[in-house]
Amino acid sequence: MELFTKALLLCVALALSNAAPQPPPGAAGRGRTRGLCENHRDRVRGTSPDGVPMIGAYMPQCDEDGQYRPQQCHGSTGYCWCVNRRGQEKPGTKTPPGTPSVECPQHDQRLKTPCEHHQDSVQTTTADGLPLAGVYVPRCDADGQYEPQQCHPSTGYCWCVDRRGQKKQETETPPGTPSVECPKHTDERPKTRCENHRDGLGTRPPGAMPAVGAFVPQCDPEGQYTPKQCHGSTGFCWCVDSRGQEKAGTKTPPGSSVQCADHGIPDRCSGIEFDAITPDEKGNTFFFKGGHIWKGFRGPALHASDFFKDMDEEHNIGRVDAAFRMHNPENPNAHDHVFFFLDDKVFSYYNQTLEAGYPKPIQEVFPGVPSQLDAAVECPKEECRTDSVLFFKGQDVHIFDIPTKTVKTKNWPHLPRCTSAVRWLEHYYCFNGNNFTRFHPVSGEVTGAYPKDARNYFMRCANFGHGMGYRTPKCSEMKLDAITTDDAGKSYLFAGPIYMRLDTKRDGLHAFPITRLWKEVRGGVDAVFSYTDKTYIIQGNQVYIYKGGAQYTLVEGYPKTLKEELGIEGRVDAAFVCPNENLVHVIQGQKLIDVDLTTTPRTIARDVPLPLSDIDAALCKTEGIYLFKGGQFYKYESPMILAAGRIAPLSQKITSEMMGCLD
């Protein structure tokens, strides 16, 4: 036995000696911060208190800078694999002993993120290499960004953070209690110029103290420079403009005071005229005024360059004359790019970044289109016969044919002078002052009572509005009343007195009163389904049937009772029709009733129990049936499987991608 033990220890020692040579615990290059790999290695106890190697211990291999080597090997097992710069194994790279190992590429040389800087700056071991108890080390994802939820391993507390690693208020939970569901960072706005200035352009870890004597700019809650700035070390104060530039003659020494006027930031709720309006490739709508921008229909004005890089006076685009999002699916290099126009130049942006080679003369990109434009808006071929762009200048409209690059000019004197224009939810709007007019993109015809005040429709302002005060809910708090897709492919979600189009994500997702499309339906609905180009709306014991088309028209003689129309009675929870079927599947409580829509009077084809109850809404698509209940849904492959099922499938969470809610 003693001989076996000695032999085993000798094998382990030889295996460890074959690994790359490692500096002793606690050692690091002079004058640099210890690397993540070194901290990891120092936490591993490779030997017993007596100095004998511990069998099976994996010791990470670090390079001379204290970072993980691209290839890692386990000295005891002989397995090798590739890792990323965070030491995380790359899937599919592990090889067993005795086989050729995968050639591991060098780590990419991107700059460390704030989370990685923060992580590397935390001292997790003593000088002797022993672990330090009670130290919080932030968690970074594979891209080096802060994970939305952070936890302290010693205290057990967890909390949510923003993309900068800052704790969100009222999200911290103690150990042993359910943690708050932390949303992804995708909906957070990017850092403003002031925040980038204050945070050292992302090179200083969050929470780290600035250098002694350094000036730290003061930003307001929206991330903008406060009008008055003061140097904490010298005591001097001065006024700045909205770009953070000092105003001449305003600096005062310590002990003196200076009164700084608020920045001239526009307020769109005061009734202003926009320079341009355009959606981007993600469906976010941007409103432009001078060097300021509003993202979406609520929130304050921000600097345009906070969203669109290089959009400032230094790059000769401190403002815009017109803007539109290109619709050209045949040319993926231009489709969904956002084009800005200023004087005789055009700028092309994608993913909020200026495209190489721009700006260019307008005539080079859009031959025949004049300079000094007032507005522009895209028009796809489904609505303008060919993929086109409408350019407005005075009362003239220059219609640019994208495939042929030719221009036709029309005069629409019945429209006001369009200082901005936008296509939104398949409709076209011309803005002048704080009003807008809806028009037909081919004829310019205006139908209805216009102009209307934009503050009632395109922004959220006090004492204005039309959207029933709707607020986007969290996905976990979703409560649907109905959902359907008609024969034209239009998908609608119903919740309370509002509806939302789900198939228009390219223009964003927006809520409207149900009466906007279905004028006779007041209040909420119980169920909705589509069949043969008609929409059936069930409300209480009434059934409304609407003809499809450009507008929904109530069929003469309706509404009728449920008994008259479908041959059933009682409250309906949900209803759906599957593609190419003639049965409407009605859910009432914990039973499924199939009604044949080809017979008059209607006949019940099936009445079976369900393993689920309290269903809110249902939808049938080619890939299966979705039953919605609160913030979750259950999926079945077919009506037959739904009818035959006796055990409910596992529930899945509703996501923002499905419903436009907040994750």
Side-chain angles (χ1 to χ4, degrees), residues 317-358:
I317 187 171
R319 61 177 180 82
V320 297
D321 292 334
F324 78 94
R325 179 185 62 187
M326 175 66 77
H327 182 87
N328 187 12
E330 285 74 24
N331 183 3
N333 292 325
H335 182 60
D336 274 350
H337 285 225
V338 179
F339 288 84
F340 296 103
F341 298 83
L342 177 63
D343 299 329
D344 61 348
K345 296 289 193 297
V346 58
F347 302 72
S348 175
Y349 276 78
Y350 187 76
N351 197 24
Q352 300 178 355
T353 301
L354 184 64
E355 188 178 350
Y358 282 85

Side-chain angles (χ1 to χ4, degrees), residues 139 141 146-150 159-162 182-185:
R139 297 189 302 198
D141 63 21
Y146 284 95
E147 291 187 359
Q149 185 185 70
Q150 298 285 320
W159 59 92
C160 301
V161 299
D162 60 21
C182 300
K184 299 176 183 177
H185 299 320

